[in-house]
Amino acid sequence: MKDIDWNNFNWPEIFGTIHAIAPMMVNNQHKFMISDIMERTIARHSDGQFEYVGHKTDGQDFAGTDGLRYECKAMKSLIQKTVPWTKPITLKNYRGNCLGVPDQTFDYMLAVDYTQNTVLMADWDLCLSDYEELDSKFEVCLNVPDCEVLADRVTPKTKTIDIQEKYNDFVASIG
């Protein structure tokens, strides 16, 4: 097992990709694709420390070289300006009636704020320190001072890709 060195992640490249795909983030039909791109980008720029497993494992996006499981949640303006906790983060959407605290599927959550270009990390217990059970989902709020800050106000690498154009070309090529 090898400890994770968060300084070896290429955060400018990661946030550059996030900002390049941001125009698609407003459409609900693209959410799965946006998450997939972000998570694969994080793994690709982790200096080999993360393996992306989100496509084959429920409730876990990465397997770390440290033997731990990581989940990633990203949101615009996740870290709030006037209170010390994050906006609510959906930990589990039951798509019906909320069944309470979900099974533990990760050891740590990476909470990505792509407005402030900041990444917080919280362990499972911290995630469950402030939660709410709604009709169909289980949400948590993270107390920001209790989280480890992995990246803070990163300047993203500028990218000139038009993800919407690439997506439209892809759809046209198979349709």
Side-chain angles (χ1 to χ4, degrees), residues 71 73 86 89-91 101-102 104 106-111 120-132 138-143 146-147:
E71 174 71 357
K73 300 291 185 178
T86 64
I89 300 166
T90 300
L91 193 61
V101 178
Q104 182 177 351
F106 62 87
D107 300 299
Y108 288 94
M109 175 193 294
L110 303 184
L120 305 174
M121 185 170 70
D123 66 18
W124 175 259
D125 291 336
L126 181 57
C127 289
L128 294 185
S129 65
D130 182 12
Y131 66 84
E132 185 172 11
F138 186 90
E139 293 184 337
V140 300
C141 291
L142 302 177
N143 188 6
D146 291 340
C147 295

Side-chain angles (χ1 to χ4, degrees), residues 65-79:
T65 55
D66 56 0
L68 298 174
R69 304 166 299 170
Y70 294 86
E71 174 71 357
C72 183
K73 300 291 185 178
M75 188 182 305
K76 181 178 183 178
S77 303
L78 175 70
I79 302 168

Side-chain angles (χ1 to χ4, degrees), residues 20-115:
I21 62 176
M24 290 185 76
M25 292 180 182
V26 297
N27 301 319
N28 283 338
Q29 69 267 31
H30 295 135
K31 283 185 178 180
F32 77 93
M33 188 172 54
I34 298 306
S35 294
D36 185 60
I37 292 169
M38 277 195 281
E39 292 159 4
R40 289 174 190 255
T41 297
I42 290 169
R44 187 177 313 115
H45 297 288
S46 71
D47 192 35
Q49 300 176 98
F50 270 2
E51 175 190 357
Y52 176 68
V53 296
H55 60 300
K56 59 185 179 184
T57 306
D58 285 337
Q60 175 189 357
D61 295 316
F62 312 108
T65 55
D66 56 0
L68 298 174
R69 304 166 299 170
Y70 294 86
E71 174 71 357
C72 183
K73 300 291 185 178
M75 188 182 305
K76 181 178 183 178
S77 303
L78 175 70
I79 302 168
Q80 302 182 86
K81 294 180 181 179
T82 58
V83 293
W85 53 85
T86 64
K87 287 181 177 178
I89 300 166
T90 300
L91 193 61
K92 176 75 174 173
N93 189 336
Y94 288 100
R95 311 251 185 254
N97 293 325
C98 183
L99 302 175
V101 178
D103 292 335
Q104 182 177 351
T105 57
F106 62 87
D107 300 299
Y108 288 94
M109 175 193 294
L110 303 184
V112 179
D113 181 325
Y114 56 85
T115 301

